[in-house]
Amino acid sequence: MKIDRTVVRSLALFDRTSDGDLDRLLAHATARRVAQGDVVFAQGEQAVCFYLLLHGRLKVMQVTEDGQQIIVRVVHPGDLFGFAKALQRPDYPGTARAATDSVIISWPTDLWNHFVEQNPRLAVSAMQTIGQRLEEAHTRIREMSTQEVERRVAHAVLRLSRQAGRQEEHGIRIDFPITRQDIAEMTGTTLHTVSRILSAWEERGLVAGGRQKLTVVDVPGLRLLAEGARD
Amino acid sequence: MKIDRTVVRSLALFDRTSDGDLDRLLAHATARRVAQGDVVFAQGEQAVCFYLLLHGRLKVMQVTEDGQQIIVRVVHPGDLFGFAKALQRPDYPGTARAATDSVIISWPTDLWNHFVEQNPRLAVSAMQTIGQRLEEAHTRIREMSTQEVERRVAHAVLRLSRQAGRQEEHGIRIDFPITRQDIAEMTGTTLHTVSRILSAWEERGLVAGGRQKLTVVDVPGLRLLAEGARD
DNA sequence: CGTATTCTTGACTTATATCAATGTCGGTGG
DNA sequence: CCACCGACATTGATATAAGTCAAGAATACG
């Protein structure tokens, strides 16, 4: 599949990369379409490639030994993912599955160190990307340690509306199919609790739900909840 | 204060750094002693320096708007910390406090990008360091999402005994002063619950406690608990 | 249409937080 | 050197948020 250079060029990751360097990077890259539900790589697999999402959405999941599942993160267009080599790991720590039809680029992992060493500015960019991800993880830890479930869910939904929201007539619609179960796995709770919370919010006119759909109707109202307003 | 080059040389971070490069790095560095309880940098402060811990232990903490505190991580000798610039942040996201008398090296933040760009192999090392930290964070998220408090505490204690343990007559002693409150803030629970759990463990001969002290007596036993053995 | 997900809702249980009181250690200063 | 004080720890009683169990309804899809 042909790589659309204008799309790649516009990504923040390559802000400071020269056209020449970009060409050299793309020379070794492969683009690929993945259909909704397809797995890009599975937990425990040998890490043969690292990836960049051009279009669509992916969910990265982990399963624990006892079969419990959590969503580690949602991959948005422009995000690097599956860079196990940066973590000194031979295998992928999670499974990446397309939440909607998507387009990805991949490189062989062997090239990671090479690219980073040849291309220090890219190294800085990549490091900032990972750094941001680390900060997100710490935010999540902080929320899970100190906040009750409803606030955590409120934060998660607001984050999704920011990162994957599309303005629609009645509010901001999360632009990919997402289940209550997904939200539960993102916030460390159960689908039952999420369902109850969303029902209550719908009652109060904060959101509008539906099967695998979610639209935030009243952003300020939700934000108030997220910031921990008492009653 | 004079920098001990042999100590620095032995760190994994500089594995692949040449002697010449190392000299150049250290030329701009400042070493400093910090006493127990001292703050190296505070949450929200302008990030003027980034640091490397040579000796001792630090706790990195965050306080939420509503005053709750969590321990983001424990810094061990050889760890980089306070590299806010890698996260594109102007300020420190947390507070670093010496848990015991420590020795640190610092560099001005301005030099971070410079060093990384001049020194691609260091970039790779640094990225691996951050990557490992990311993975630790994900582990913590996974544990908080899926495991009950006792298992989380067991994991936290085992991790500490691995990273900061010193073999003693009756077991592996955590080699810096640590309170029940600290453990609570590391696992997202309360000091009461931690106290109850540790008392129960002491009863069963798994650990030996004491004021700001903790010794793991029966590692396999604790590990069994951590892995989630039913009764 | 029927079949399979996804979602809702109610009743019940339980882990863990909260509230409250008391105990103990270890350093400081009189 | 001893007494006292503040920080840390223990432990019981009670409250409650959220999980579990169970059943059914709605929606999408083949």
Side-chain angles (χ1 to χ4, degrees):
Chain A
M1 188 182 147
K2 188 79 193 331
I3 298 173
D4 184 342
R5 289 192 75 263
T6 63
V7 173
V8 177
R9 179 77 274 179
S10 68
L11 298 176
L13 182 65
F14 299 116
D15 252 4
R16 310 203 303 166
T17 308
S18 74
D19 281 327
D21 285 345
L22 190 58
D23 282 336
R24 244 161 284 138
L25 285 171
L26 292 181
H28 300 274
T30 315
R32 186 172 122 216
R33 222 182 286 277
V34 290
Q36 181 173 143
D38 279 3
V39 166
V40 178
F41 55 79
Q43 186 169 355
E45 252 177 44
Q46 285 302 306
V48 289
C49 291
F50 63 96
Y51 302 87
L52 177 64
L53 180 64
L54 285 189
H55 184 79
R57 303 282 163 186
L58 306 181
K59 295 181 284 191
V60 180
M61 298 162 306
Q62 287 185 355
V63 279
T64 60
E65 320 77 56
D66 53 319
Q68 302 237 56
Q69 196 170 87
I70 66 155
I71 294 188
V72 174
R73 70 179 182 115
V74 176
V75 181
H76 304 281
D79 286 354
L80 283 173
F81 66 102
F83 41 86
K85 262 293 149 45
L87 294 90
Q88 297 187 275
R89 293 189 59 121
D91 58 341
Y92 297 111
T95 298
R97 165 172 272 128
T100 185
D101 293 346
S102 303
V103 179
I104 62 176
I105 316 185
S106 62
W107 289 268
T109 4
D110 320 333
L111 296 180
W112 174 267
N113 281 358
H114 179 73
F115 281 174
V116 166
E117 290 182 8
Q118 293 304 303
N119 219 324
R121 313 201 118 182
L122 178 63
V124 172
S125 279
M127 189 142 32
Q128 286 175 343
T129 302
I130 302 177
Q132 278 173 344
R133 205 133 308 142
L134 180 60
E135 204 172 7
E136 282 162 27
H138 283 159
T139 299
R140 206 162 147 189
I141 289 172
R142 186 161 12 96
E143 288 178 1
M144 295 218 303
S145 302
T146 63
Q147 298 175 170
E148 44 182 25
V149 172
E150 187 172 26
R151 289 180 62 181
R152 300 210 300 265
V153 175
H155 271 122
V157 170
L158 284 171
R159 221 168 295 148
L160 284 172
S161 77
R162 243 178 289 121
Q163 299 174 329
R166 208 186 52 215
Q167 185 67 50
E168 279 197 348
E169 192 182 352
H170 302 297
I172 300 172
R173 161 85 181 270
I174 309 294
D175 200 21
F176 64 96
I178 186 163
T179 67
R180 311 289 139 121
Q181 179 72 43
D182 288 336
I183 296 175
E185 287 174 11
M186 290 170 47
T187 51
T189 179
T190 62
L191 83 157
H192 306 276
T193 301
V194 171
S195 181
R196 281 182 235 275
I197 289 173
L198 290 184
S199 295
W201 288 355
E202 195 150 10
E203 199 94 350
R204 295 168 55 184
L206 292 169
V207 302
R211 192 193 179 77
Q212 304 208 99
K213 280 187 306 199
L214 189 57
T215 304
V216 181
V217 176
D218 178 2
V219 175
L222 240 198
R223 189 162 291 145
L224 216 65
L225 254 182
E227 295 319 323
R230 291 271 115 241
D231 65 291
Chain B
M1 187 181 148
K2 190 78 192 330
I3 298 172
D4 185 342
R5 289 192 76 264
T6 65
V7 173
V8 177
R9 178 78 274 178
S10 68
L11 299 176
L13 182 65
F14 299 115
D15 252 3
R16 310 203 303 164
T17 307
S18 73
D19 280 328
D21 285 344
L22 191 58
D23 281 335
R24 245 161 285 139
L25 285 171
L26 293 181
H28 299 274
T30 314
R32 186 170 122 217
R33 221 184 284 276
V34 292
Q36 182 174 142
D38 279 4
V39 166
V40 178
F41 55 78
Q43 185 168 354
E45 252 178 43
Q46 285 302 305
V48 289
C49 291
F50 63 96
Y51 302 87
L52 177 64
L53 180 64
L54 286 189
H55 184 79
R57 302 282 164 187
L58 305 181
K59 295 181 282 192
V60 180
M61 299 163 306
Q62 286 185 356
V63 279
T64 60
E65 322 76 54
D66 52 319
Q68 302 235 58
Q69 195 170 89
I70 65 157
I71 294 188
V72 174
R73 69 178 182 115
V74 175
V75 182
H76 305 280
D79 287 353
L80 283 173
F81 66 103
F83 42 84
K85 259 293 148 45
L87 293 92
Q88 298 186 277
R89 293 190 56 124
D91 59 341
Y92 296 112
T95 298
R97 165 173 273 128
T100 185
D101 293 345
S102 303
V103 179
I104 62 177
I105 316 187
S106 63
W107 289 268
T109 0
D110 320 333
L111 295 180
W112 175 266
N113 281 358
H114 178 72
F115 280 174
V116 166
E117 290 181 8
Q118 293 304 303
N119 219 325
R121 312 202 120 181
L122 178 63
V124 172
S125 279
M127 191 141 32
Q128 286 175 344
T129 303
I130 302 177
Q132 277 173 345
R133 203 132 310 142
L134 181 61
E135 205 172 6
E136 283 163 25
H138 283 160
T139 300
R140 204 162 148 189
I141 289 173
R142 187 165 6 97
E143 287 178 1
M144 295 220 301
S145 301
T146 62
Q147 297 175 181
E148 44 182 24
V149 172
E150 187 172 28
R151 287 180 62 181
R152 299 209 301 265
V153 175
H155 271 122
V157 170
L158 284 171
R159 221 167 295 147
L160 284 171
S161 77
R162 243 177 290 121
Q163 299 174 330
R166 209 186 51 215
Q167 185 67 51
E168 280 197 346
E169 191 181 352
H170 303 296
I172 299 172
R173 161 85 180 271
I174 309 295
D175 199 21
F176 63 96
I178 187 162
T179 66
R180 312 289 140 121
Q181 177 73 41
D182 288 336
I183 296 175
E185 287 173 11
M186 289 170 43
T187 52
T189 180
T190 62
L191 84 156
H192 307 276
T193 301
V194 171
S195 180
R196 281 182 235 274
I197 290 173
L198 290 184
S199 295
W201 287 354
E202 196 149 11
E203 199 93 348
R204 294 168 55 184
L206 292 169
V207 301
R211 190 193 181 75
Q212 304 207 97
K213 281 188 303 198
L214 188 57
T215 304
V216 181
V217 177
D218 179 3
V219 175
L222 240 198
R223 189 163 290 146
L224 217 66
L225 255 181
E227 295 318 323
R230 293 272 112 240
D231 69 290

